[in-house]
Amino acid sequence: MITHVRGRLVEKNPTYVVVDCNGVGYFINISLHTFSALPKEESISIFTHLQVKEDSHTLFGFMDLMEREIFRLLISVSGIGSSTARTMLSSLHPDQIKQAIASGDVATIQGIKGIGVKTAQRVILDLKDKILKVFDLDVNSAIQSNTQKEEALSALETLGFARKQSEKVCMQILKEKPDASVETIIKEALKKL
C-alpha cells in the first residue's frame, strides 16, 4: 500500500526514522544497514514495506530496493517475523545474506542473534531458489566466492585478525572484485585491516 515515503527527515535513530511528509510524520522502522546509508541532507526518499496486523500498521524503511526485497523474502519464511528479519539485516549486509542463502552457508545465518540451526536451514531451504531467481545469481559463482571467502577468512584468523572484522573486509573486496582469488582477497584484506 505505501511503497515509498519522500519528505523531511525529522528524527534519526539507529532503529527508526521519522519522516515529515507535508505535515504528517511517518514513524519508519529501519535496520542498521539503512541507518548507515541515510543521506546527510534533510530531504529523504525511503522505500517502505507496510505490515498490517490485527492490532497495528507498521512501516519498515529501506534505502535501496534490494534490501527491501530481501526483507520481504525473509518474512515469507515460517518462523521469521519482521523483527527477526530486521535483526538479520542489521547484523549482516544484504549482500552477505543473499550470498549465504545462495551458497547454503548455514553457519553465517546461524551466527545472527536469535537464529538457531533449524531456522537457518529453513531460511536456506525456502529461499535459495527464490534468491537465485530474483537476483539472477549463478549457484556455482555463489559457492565459489563463498569458498574463497572462507579460505581467506581462515588465513586471516590464523594471522591473528578478528573474524567479524575480517569478514566485513572480505565481503567488501568480493563486492568490488567478485572473481578475486584467495590470494588477492588476503592481500587486499591485509591492506585494509
Side-chain angles (χ1 to χ4, degrees):
M1 192 165 135
I2 299 173
T3 191
H4 81 272
V5 173
R6 181 178 292 134
R8 190 169 60 85
L9 186 61
V10 178
E11 201 174 329
K12 178 177 163 181
N13 188 296
T15 56
Y16 70 88
V17 290
V18 176
V19 180
D20 181 315
C21 300
N22 298 321
V24 177
Y26 289 92
F27 183 95
I28 304 171
N29 294 283
I30 60 169
S31 68
L32 286 175
H33 173 71
T34 292
F35 177 74
S36 64
L38 286 170
K40 300 280 184 246
E41 313 90 57
E42 256 187 31
S43 181
I44 184 175
S45 181
I46 191 165
F47 298 103
T48 58
H49 172 81
L50 176 65
Q51 185 177 51
V52 179
K53 286 187 174 176
E54 216 173 89
D55 58 346
S56 69
H57 288 205
T58 311
L59 266 180
F60 292 90
F62 312 93
M63 285 312 292
D64 58 63
L65 286 168
M66 182 190 71
E67 186 183 10
R68 182 175 72 177
E69 191 56 42
I70 290 173
F71 177 83
R72 287 177 171 169
L73 286 170
L74 288 171
I75 62 173
S76 73
V77 176
S78 171
I80 301 279
S82 52
S83 59
T84 304
R86 186 169 71 157
T87 301
M88 290 175 80
L89 288 164
S90 292
S91 302
L92 295 172
H93 189 279
D95 282 333
Q96 289 176 296
I97 294 174
K98 187 172 73 174
Q99 207 62 29
I101 293 170
S103 62
D105 185 356
V106 177
T108 298
I109 293 171
Q110 191 191 340
I112 300 165
K113 186 179 183 294
I115 303 281
V117 180
K118 285 198 164 95
T119 307
Q121 290 170 336
R122 192 178 319 116
V123 166
I124 290 169
L125 186 69
D126 289 3
L127 298 183
K128 189 172 185 174
D129 292 340
K130 290 178 187 173
I131 287 274
L132 293 169
K133 196 167 108 186
V134 170
F135 295 104
D136 198 28
L137 292 173
D138 176 18
V139 183
N140 295 332
S141 68
I143 291 168
Q144 180 188 356
S145 71
N146 189 51
T147 305
Q148 290 168 320
K149 183 188 83 175
E150 285 304 317
E151 284 181 34
L153 279 173
S154 176
L156 290 167
E157 272 185 297
T158 305
L159 292 170
F161 293 98
R163 184 174 178 89
K164 203 165 191 171
Q165 191 179 5
S166 300
E167 196 160 9
K168 277 184 182 175
V169 172
C170 288
M171 283 304 294
Q172 203 174 15
I173 293 163
L174 281 168
K175 196 175 177 183
E176 294 164 9
K177 301 175 185 174
D179 300 328
S181 67
V182 177
E183 293 80 16
T184 307
I185 296 170
I186 295 168
K187 285 178 188 173
E188 291 290 320
L190 288 172
K191 290 178 192 171
K192 295 180 180 187
L193 286 168

